[in-house]
Amino acid sequence: MKFRRKTKFAAEVATSSLNDIMFFLLLFFLIISTVANPNVIKLLLPKAASSQQLSKKQVTLSVDDQKRYFIDKTPIAAENLEMELRSVLKDVAEPTIVVRVDKTLAVQDLVDVLQTGAKLNIKMVMATSK
């Protein structure tokens, strides 16, 4: 019985370990990308030839845990809130108020303040802590 040997050599590339390597690289980059920027939204903003900086008067409206109202550290009565906001923001073109409400107050107290701002057509921004 005569055995024949193959005289032609066929080149082979062993790729069985490449799957493991690619999986570990993919896993590594996924973990690193979530740790590096967990809460960042990346935006490409348009550029302008000239920029305009608006100087807005910043008014702070604070409500403490005893429902006392303060406009820029000046205490006011709750009944006079609308009138005081009108007088403070009468000369401002785009009125904006930073609202600081104690966390122990009910949501209804915040809604009452926001309704007063909506009635006066004032933009209100709620301040929070980190």
Side-chain angles (χ1 to χ4, degrees), residues 44-59:
L44 295 175
L45 298 176
K47 294 182 180 180
S50 65
S51 64
Q52 180 181 5
Q53 200 170 20
L54 299 175
S55 60
K56 292 183 178 180
K57 179 181 177 184
Q58 183 177 359
V59 177

Side-chain angles (χ1 to χ4, degrees), residues 81-83 85-86 89 95 115-122:
L81 178 63
E82 186 176 341
M83 183 181 65
L85 288 176
R86 272 194 187 125
L89 299 171
Q115 283 179 342
T116 304
K119 188 188 302 183
L120 297 175
N121 199 19
I122 298 171

Side-chain angles (χ1 to χ4, degrees), residues 3-121:
F3 290 107
R4 292 167 94 195
R5 287 192 180 186
K6 286 187 177 181
T7 57
K8 293 185 180 180
F9 178 72
E12 293 181 13
V13 178
T15 59
S16 59
S17 63
L18 284 178
N19 292 335
D20 295 336
I21 293 171
M22 293 305 292
F23 174 73
F24 283 120
L25 283 175
L26 179 66
L27 185 66
F28 173 76
F29 285 121
L30 284 175
I31 291 172
I32 293 300
S33 66
T34 57
V35 171
N37 294 324
N39 297 321
V40 176
I41 299 174
K42 293 182 180 180
L43 297 174
L44 295 175
L45 298 176
K47 294 182 180 180
S50 65
S51 64
Q52 180 181 5
Q53 200 170 20
L54 299 175
S55 60
K56 292 183 178 180
K57 179 181 177 184
Q58 183 177 359
V59 177
T60 304
L61 173 63
S62 303
V63 184
D64 66 0
D65 58 347
Q66 299 171 354
K67 293 185 184 180
R68 293 181 296 196
Y69 293 86
F70 299 90
I71 294 180
D72 292 333
K73 298 182 182 180
T74 306
I76 60 166
E79 303 83 30
N80 299 335
L81 178 63
E82 186 176 341
M83 183 181 65
E84 291 288 334
L85 288 176
R86 272 194 187 125
S87 65
V88 168
L89 299 171
K90 63 184 175 189
D91 298 331
V92 180
E94 293 180 26
T96 302
I97 293 180
V98 177
V99 180
R100 300 171 50 99
V101 179
D102 192 82
K103 68 179 179 179
T104 59
L105 290 179
V107 175
Q108 185 61 46
D109 299 322
L110 174 63
V111 170
D112 293 339
V113 171
L114 294 177
Q115 283 179 342
T116 304
K119 188 188 302 183
L120 297 175
N121 199 19

